[in-house]
Amino acid sequence: MRVRRRRAGGHIIRRMTTRFDSPHQEVYLGLWRTYDRLRALEDELFVRFELTAQQYNVLRLLKAARPDPVPTLALADRLVSRAPDITRMIDRLEERGLVSRERLAEDRRVVRVRITDNGLALLSEIAAPLADCHRRQLGHLSDADLKTLSTLLRSARLPHEPEGSVWR
């Protein structure tokens, strides 16, 4: 990457000129930058509800499974991004009364999680602002563009998803 320097108002401004080592690098860095920009809008929203994007994702998955509880490890496998410490995340949600846990009598190692009424109420409260956030993130794209982008992302991800992943 080259850096051009020019003076503006007595200060040297660094301007990067785009140069990538390969089309693969250009796409990867483009994905990373896009994620960063879109995530910033989402983080701004979730902080108002004292949630992280990962915690929201847990609540969303538990709502979809309701009324059934979900084993913790199965929940971790369904998350959008890896959560190395799913137990602590569940702890925080449980402290807020958004989820509850139960252990199986026949196998105390298995912990199942379910969303509570408070968790459902929070998801209801978030729904409209989140839909607005998604429109701000991607509303400038047509439905056809969104479908194409989704297909391309799935194709890029597929060889890296484990067998049996819900993301395949």
Side-chain angles (χ1 to χ4, degrees):
M1 185 180 311
R2 287 185 318 217
V3 177
R4 287 190 202 163
R5 296 178 189 271
R6 64 185 171 118
R7 288 203 171 266
H11 300 285
I12 293 178
I13 296 176
R14 296 176 60 188
R15 196 178 104 212
M16 297 185 308
T17 59
T18 307
R19 198 183 92 202
F20 301 99
D21 294 340
S22 69
H24 302 95
Q25 183 186 53
E26 181 177 7
V27 169
Y28 178 77
L29 293 176
L31 284 170
W32 192 0
R33 177 65 180 180
T34 302
Y35 166 78
D36 182 67
R37 298 295 76 217
L38 300 181
R39 178 72 185 262
L41 295 171
E42 198 171 75
D43 287 345
E44 185 180 295
L45 168 73
F46 287 132
V47 76
R48 293 188 346 225
F49 295 95
E50 298 178 27
L51 279 180
T52 65
Q54 280 281 54
Q55 289 171 331
Y56 167 78
N57 193 27
V58 166
L59 293 174
R60 184 186 66 79
L61 291 168
L62 291 173
K63 178 183 176 187
R66 156 187 93 114
D68 298 325
V70 178
T72 304
L73 294 178
L75 188 58
D77 286 342
R78 294 180 189 157
L79 291 174
V80 173
S81 59
R82 273 190 48 229
D85 200 355
I86 186 82
T87 302
R88 283 180 55 115
M89 189 181 339
I90 299 298
D91 287 345
R92 288 186 201 106
L93 292 170
E94 188 176 38
E95 286 169 10
R96 292 183 59 192
L98 302 175
V99 302
S100 64
R101 283 190 256 214
E102 58 188 43
R103 290 191 183 274
L104 295 179
E106 60 273 10
D107 187 349
R108 303 280 303 155
R109 294 171 299 171
V110 176
V111 177
R112 298 188 316 181
V113 185
R114 77 174 72 233
I115 193 166
T116 64
D117 289 341
N118 287 342
L120 291 171
L122 181 61
L123 287 180
S124 263
E125 188 180 347
I126 291 173
L130 185 59
D132 181 56
C133 178
H134 290 158
R135 281 189 292 277
R136 286 187 302 141
Q137 289 170 318
L138 299 168
H140 59 285
L141 298 175
S142 70
D143 287 348
D145 287 344
L146 289 169
K147 185 172 180 157
T148 299
L149 180 57
S150 184
T151 300
L152 288 169
L153 291 171
R154 187 174 293 108
S155 294
R157 188 176 60 240
L158 186 62
H160 310 288
E161 287 292 348
E163 287 298 322
S165 168
V166 297
W167 289 96
R168 283 187 140 272

